[in-house]
Amino acid sequence: MAKLPKESPVVLIMAGGKGERFWPRSRTNSPKQLQKVYSNKTLLRETIDRALTITSLDRIYIGTNANLKTEILKKDPKFPSTNFILEPEGKNTAPIIALSALYFQKKFGNPNLIVLSADAFIDPIKEFTKTIEQALYETENGMVLLGVKPNRPEVGYGYISTGKPTDVGYTVKAFFEKPDFKTALKYIKKKNFYWNPGIFLFRTETILSELERHAPHILGPLKNGFPFKSFGDLKTAFQMLPSEAIDTAIMEKSNRIRMVEATFNWDDVGSWMSLERILPGDKEKNHHQGKEVLYHKASGNISSVQKELIAFLGVQNLIVVEEPDVLLVTSREGVGDIKAMLSTMRKNKVLQKYLD
């Protein structure tokens, strides 16, 4: 087994998303990663605290845009204001990871880089820490991602199939994009299929080498201009880049991928529906976040409200979310149309203010 690296890893937290499926709590200027969704901490703060179990604060960086940097520092003024990797525009994960790798190579040499998303539920933290420490062994052999053993046929996640065992993990045979329900049922019956939670670990030199090989169209414009003399120069370079995920740009093409099985519970906090898997529920499968709640002949409801009391009478499968200026009431079936509804709201000048 390879030796565990002595130096602390660098952590990049991806926090640039819009979080539209968590409207009305998630808004343009204060998206879900800056909101308290399942605890008394914001999703971003939960992720920072998680990262602090594997490295020091000075080696934790946040990847986001300039507007959100300001909002992040308002909510978390003790976070180092210099520890941001700012992207001029959101272009999925590959461009910002490439930019970050160039920055970390220049600043730290060849550190281990761990990429986390700011919108995950992970419990318990000690198992997260243990899994990451195990996965760091594998970065000497290539790029590493974590895999979560499925406990349900989930159509919203990507899947990984593994091959032969390695020191602490497995080789990766293939990646599979979001399946339909019938296919997902087949996947969860296979012992070597895992969810892909989007947690990556690699040496900086390794990811830059693989970007050079498999995605020169992404690395090239950034490498040619690095270090950028101005944010305007970086903006010009970003305009040349495609919007592409690190999964399709690198992971699905490389033969240097390993997977380590996660020993923690994980969930993508992607929409209000995810609260039924995170919040405790009653015997009628009602899930509530707030003060008092009363259910009478009601089942399958999800609520996140500020009122002293919310009462559900004779209703099923509703989702109710209260903010000071907005009340959202939707069915479980309807919640999938939130993005379409917001698109309609953008066209209405009266309603636009409720998006920001």
Side-chain angles (χ1 to χ4, degrees):
M1 182 180 289
K3 292 183 179 179
L4 187 65
K6 292 182 179 180
E7 75 276 18
S8 296
V10 176
V11 173
L12 174 66
I13 300 174
M14 311 289 278
K18 296 179 181 179
E20 289 184 326
R21 289 181 294 167
F22 258 97
W23 185 87
R25 185 156 304 156
S26 182
R27 311 284 179 98
T28 301
N29 297 321
S30 191
K32 69 174 179 180
Q33 56 268 34
L34 302 185
Q35 300 298 328
K36 299 173 183 178
V37 174
Y38 59 79
S39 74
N40 61 358
K41 301 177 185 178
T42 67
L43 290 179
L44 178 57
R45 187 69 236 183
E46 288 276 3
T47 311
I48 293 171
D49 287 350
R50 217 172 283 138
L52 284 170
T53 70
I54 52 179
T55 195
S56 53
L57 184 61
D58 61 303
R59 295 172 80 88
I60 299 173
Y61 286 74
I62 296 174
T64 189
N65 59 62
N67 289 337
L68 287 187
K69 174 185 176 180
T70 301
E71 295 301 317
I72 288 168
L73 291 175
K74 283 181 182 178
K75 288 183 176 286
D76 204 338
K78 293 184 179 180
F79 189 83
S81 61
T82 56
N83 284 25
F84 286 83
I85 306 294
L86 299 182
E87 53 183 353
E89 57 180 307
K91 289 210 166 180
N92 217 311
T93 53
I96 193 161
I97 289 176
L99 176 63
S100 300
L102 289 168
Y103 178 83
F104 297 141
Q105 182 185 53
K106 185 175 186 296
K107 185 173 179 64
F108 300 109
N110 186 29
N112 270 308
L113 171 57
I114 302 171
V115 180
L116 306 175
S117 65
D119 55 358
F121 169 79
I122 288 175
D123 184 69
I125 291 180
K126 66 178 182 179
E127 291 300 321
F128 165 81
T129 309
K130 184 175 77 173
T131 302
I132 291 293
E133 289 175 347
Q134 288 290 302
L136 285 171
Y137 282 109
E138 288 283 14
T139 61
E140 302 305 311
N141 301 313
M143 297 186 294
V144 186
L145 50 82
L146 301 190
V148 175
K149 202 64 181 170
N151 57 16
R152 63 182 186 276
E154 177 60 62
V155 300
Y157 301 161
Y159 289 72
I160 308 160
S161 68
T162 58
K164 297 179 180 179
T166 61
D167 285 345
V168 295
Y170 301 90
T171 60
V172 172
K173 291 175 66 176
F175 291 85
F176 300 88
E177 292 304 313
K178 299 173 182 178
D180 58 31
F181 186 78
K182 185 177 180 180
T183 305
L185 278 173
K186 293 179 180 178
Y187 287 171
I188 65 172
K189 293 177 181 177
K190 297 178 182 290
K191 292 183 178 181
N192 68 325
F193 269 64
Y194 296 80
W195 285 332
N196 181 1
I199 299 175
F200 307 107
L201 306 89
F202 30 65
R203 286 284 189 179
T204 303
E205 288 183 0
T206 303
I207 185 62
L208 289 173
S209 174
E210 292 297 282
L211 282 162
E212 189 82 62
R213 181 179 180 186
H214 299 290
H217 57 292
I218 292 174
L219 182 63
L222 296 173
K223 188 176 181 180
N224 292 339
F226 192 86
F228 293 93
K229 295 180 180 179
S230 70
F231 196 67
D233 291 341
L234 176 60
K235 185 175 182 180
T236 300
F238 250 69
Q239 289 173 348
M240 301 170 61
L241 306 181
S243 179
E244 190 167 358
I246 195 69
D247 306 70
T248 55
I250 301 296
M251 298 295 170
E252 295 179 6
K253 299 174 182 176
S254 176
N255 59 3
R256 301 182 63 192
I257 308 292
R258 305 291 180 94
M259 191 214 78
V260 173
E261 182 175 343
T263 57
F264 51 81
N265 298 314
W266 170 87
D267 208 299
D268 172 32
V269 187
S271 76
W272 291 110
M273 287 292 294
S274 61
L275 291 188
E276 72 174 344
R277 299 187 296 270
I278 297 172
L279 299 178
D282 65 11
K283 62 181 181 179
E284 297 298 328
K285 298 182 178 180
N286 295 298
H287 301 264
H288 175 67
Q289 183 182 56
K291 296 181 181 178
E292 295 295 330
V293 62
L294 173 66
Y295 300 110
H296 186 80
K297 296 182 179 179
S299 63
N301 300 291
I302 301 171
S303 52
S304 181
V305 300
Q306 301 175 14
K307 289 282 190 294
E308 291 292 326
L309 169 68
I310 181 171
F312 290 85
L313 173 61
V315 293
Q316 288 77 40
N317 302 324
L318 291 182
I319 297 175
V320 180
V321 181
E322 180 198 12
E323 290 295 296
D325 59 342
V326 175
L327 178 67
L328 171 69
V329 181
T330 177
S331 65
R332 285 171 174 257
E333 293 77 15
V335 75
D337 290 326
I338 282 185
K339 283 189 175 184
M341 183 182 72
L342 298 187
S343 180
T344 300
M345 290 175 65
R346 286 190 190 94
K347 300 172 185 177
N348 186 319
K349 292 183 179 181
V350 175
L351 300 180
Q352 286 175 1
K353 65 179 181 180
Y354 300 108
L355 302 176
D356 297 332

